[in-house]
Amino acid sequence: MNQCLSTKALPADPGPSAWREILEPGPSFAPLQADIDADWVVVGAGFAGLAAAWRLSQLVNDERIVVLEAGRVAEGPAGRNSGFMIDLPHELNSTSYAGATEKDARDIRLHRAAIDFAATMAAECQLPSGVFDRCGKVTAACAARGEQHLVDYEKHLQAMGETYETLSAQDLKEYTGIDFYTRGLFTPHAAMVQPAAFIQGVAAGLAPSVTLYECSPVTAFEPGRQGARHSLTTPQGMVRTPRVILAVNGLIQRFGYFPGRLLHVFTYASMTRALAPDEIERLGGQPNWGIIPADPMGTTVRRTSDLRGSGHRLVVRNHGTLNQSYEASSANMRRAAKLQDQAFKNRFPMLSGVEFEYRWGGRLCLSLNSVPAFGELEPGVFSACCQNGLGTVKGTLAGMMAAELATGTDSELLQSYQTFDAPKKLPPEPFLGWGANATMRWREYKAGIEL
Ligand SMILES: Cc1cc2nc3c(=O)[nH]c(=O)nc-3n(C[C@H](O)[C@H](O)[C@H](O)COP(=O)(O)OP(=O)(O)OC[C@H]3O[C@@H](n4cnc5c(N)ncnc54)[C@H](O)[C@@H]3O)c2cc1C
């Protein structure tokens, strides 16, 4: 059992949460400023924490649920991602996104249940189109290597009986407006979100039995012993509770759990300023779209159009670095900016002169064997962490499943979710850092123009 645990200062993600910055102000929640009791505490208001709170409120009726969020809602990774909710296999450490068929069939079932859950939350919160859209996803290649990835992926989908549509260069030009892509694959069950608007909308739509406190980092956590309550201390208040769900992704290690088993990877993105009307016309294509690169180390691109006064903008994401310190350096940010400038120039020659208004990075948490850090860690303390880079879906799923496990709800989904192994032990430093960063640089180099 853990002793009284103190989380050290919470790491900040570099750069602003651009998807949040471009929106008109969203809801705000007061910090915790008293010593209180609750039936349940959820730590973290990302995809995992909000799904946990939402599912708990369905399962325990009027019991008091408190959510403690260290920063502002949608300021962290949940609000600063590319917004693809992907149902199909999508391991970042894979070479073609394809995995073993049986394992993939389980993952697809779980992922679709999570996307359905997100769709229900979006509908109940009356989120407008553009915030959550069940529009499918497009994966696209621009060179022979990426095209081969797509061909392998198609074979895998065929073997699994999944539906898909092959897209030609012309289809992709009509979709994006640009001549860059040569072959694509449309799969219908994924969703796209404006991540910050989605997270803000769900936070605002939580049941009345849930109270969310922003700017309330848990700085000390003392698990209760022999039936005593757990206590969670924040700078201006404290909560005592019999049951806690930790939904803090990689920061679960700051609570003393899963030591030596989690990888902290940063990825980076840049967003343009709002495009002028003549630039929008020169670009052409659909007003809202997204491209997942055929090579997993390639560049993800999104176009977003004028949601809540945000203007028409393009977003590019690429580059990954392992930072076991939980902090990305300014050198990491500079390298990412350089790669993103080049990726933008390669794809959007008609928009030369359009600058990036925002640049940022954010934390992912991965395990060596791509499994979640999930379960009851000690009596009444549950984990919904380690989303392996696909946290919009896997975080939602982990939150739902943690709520079911914690309330003793038996479901087929939970049984299936509990078949994952535990995260494997990592090699020691400095070999881990050297090895992982060298592998990612080599794979970025091999991605070529897909990057
Ligand atoms: C640039 C970028 C692009 C990405 N693109 C995608 C994508 O297209 N699709 C996808 O699925 N995923 C994507 N991701 C990954 C995705 O954002 C994460 O996997 C996801 O946010 C994880 O969700 P989560 O709720 O588990 O954790 P988080 O979103 O990290 O939420 C955890 C919350 O816990 C809070 N917290 C931590 N410690 C404490 C504490 N001590 N006290 C109180 N609160 C605390 C944090 O402030 C945070 O808000 C991307 C990430 C980045 C950075």
Side-chain angles (χ1 to χ4, degrees):
M1 181 185 280
N2 276 292
Q3 300 304 306
C4 179
L5 299 170
S6 290
T7 52
K8 297 187 194 119
L10 285 161
D13 295 292
S17 171
W19 290 99
R20 182 174 181 273
E21 295 284 316
I22 62 173
L23 296 172
E24 288 148 9
S28 72
F29 304 87
L32 177 67
Q33 287 176 312
D35 291 357
I36 60 170
D37 291 314
D39 298 306
W40 297 88
V41 172
V42 176
V43 186
F47 284 89
L50 294 179
W54 191 286
R55 186 76 184 113
L56 273 179
S57 68
Q58 293 174 328
L59 295 169
V60 298
N61 292 323
D62 293 333
E63 293 184 19
R64 287 158 306 165
I65 303 164
V66 160
V67 180
L68 298 173
E69 167 52 47
R72 303 291 313 275
V73 165
E75 219 174 34
R80 55 176 65 217
N81 59 70
S82 305
F84 289 91
M85 297 196 86
I86 300 172
D87 56 319
L88 293 168
H90 192 89
E91 301 303 346
L92 286 185
N93 57 8
S94 123
T95 49
S96 68
Y97 297 128
T101 308
E102 200 179 309
K103 171 190 154 303
D104 285 349
R106 173 199 60 187
D107 292 359
I108 291 169
R109 261 196 320 277
L110 291 168
H111 293 172
R112 287 190 183 148
I115 298 174
D116 289 345
F117 190 79
T120 305
M121 293 194 291
E124 288 188 21
C125 296
Q126 299 182 338
L127 302 184
S129 120
V131 178
F132 176 95
D133 290 320
R134 198 81 183 254
C135 53
K137 92 172 155 74
V138 174
T139 308
C142 56
R145 189 181 146 83
E147 287 178 11
Q148 188 54 50
H149 279 313
L150 284 187
V151 171
D152 294 343
Y153 195 52
E154 281 172 36
K155 280 190 201 140
H156 188 69
L157 292 179
Q158 255 170 25
M160 301 202 38
E162 288 292 331
T163 48
Y164 64 85
E165 203 181 305
T166 305
L167 303 176
S168 66
Q170 183 56 32
D171 296 331
L172 290 159
K173 162 116 180 136
E174 281 162 22
Y175 183 53
T176 60
I178 60 178
D179 281 314
F180 189 73
Y181 297 104
T182 52
R183 182 186 178 104
L185 193 70
F186 171 76
T187 50
H189 299 290
M192 276 203 293
V193 295
Q194 202 289 20
F198 178 82
I199 288 291
Q200 287 181 340
V202 171
L206 288 165
S209 57
V210 183
T211 310
L212 193 159
Y213 297 97
E214 285 183 318
C215 305
S216 302
V218 175
T219 50
F221 172 49
E222 191 171 358
R225 297 195 180 96
Q226 290 156 2
R229 296 185 154 225
H230 312 300
S231 66
L232 298 103
T233 306
T234 68
Q236 300 177 71
M238 173 191 265
V239 196
R240 285 186 208 285
T241 181
R243 281 151 309 207
V244 179
I245 295 178
L246 297 170
V248 294
N249 211 13
L251 293 179
I252 184 99
Q253 288 194 315
R254 289 267 160 110
F255 288 77
Y257 299 109
F258 301 101
R261 286 174 194 271
L262 303 180
L263 296 158
H264 305 287
V265 170
F266 277 78
T267 188
Y268 305 85
S270 301
M271 179 186 277
T272 65
R273 60 164 167 76
L275 301 180
D278 63 310
E279 291 163 342
I280 295 171
E281 202 173 320
R282 281 208 303 276
L283 173 60
Q286 302 294 315
N288 284 294
W289 54 264
I291 295 278
I292 298 276
D295 185 312
M297 294 308 279
T299 297
T300 301
V301 187
R302 270 197 70 173
R303 178 173 166 190
T304 171
S305 283
D306 224 14
L307 182 74
R308 274 164 57 189
S310 58
H312 293 246
R313 295 166 188 264
L314 290 156
V315 184
V316 291
R317 184 214 59 84
N318 59 31
H319 198 43
T321 55
L322 182 80
N323 303 74
Q324 291 301 79
S325 60
Y326 312 94
E327 305 274 359
S329 66
S330 45
N332 293 149
M333 286 289 282
R334 280 197 301 277
R335 167 95 183 128
K338 206 169 151 197
L339 291 171
Q340 286 154 21
D341 286 348
Q342 189 60 50
F344 188 79
K345 209 166 143 191
N346 291 345
R347 285 161 179 77
F348 302 100
M350 76 291 277
L351 295 180
S352 76
V354 171
E355 322 82 46
F356 286 117
E357 184 173 351
Y358 300 104
R359 300 207 194 254
W360 70 98
R363 273 165 292 126
L364 313 175
C365 174
L366 281 67
S367 55
L368 263 189
N369 45 339
S370 302
V371 296
F374 179 78
E376 185 165 12
L377 307 175
E378 50 189 298
V381 181
F382 299 86
S383 169
C385 297
C386 188
Q387 324 304 3
N388 290 289
L390 194 60
T392 62
V393 171
K394 294 188 187 202
T396 304
L397 180 66
M400 294 156 62
M401 295 296 95
E404 293 195 358
L405 181 67
T407 52
T409 306
D410 188 24
S411 76
E412 228 177 274
L413 277 185
L414 180 58
Q415 283 171 21
S416 177
Y417 193 66
Q418 287 183 298
T419 59
F420 285 102
D421 293 333
K424 271 192 188 153
K425 204 161 169 36
L426 302 175
E429 289 287 15
F431 306 106
L432 174 68
W434 289 343
N437 281 311
T439 305
M440 284 191 274
R441 293 302 69 77
W442 170 242
R443 289 182 56 201
E444 278 177 5
Y445 169 75
K446 296 260 285 177
I449 188 75
E450 304 280 347
L451 181 66

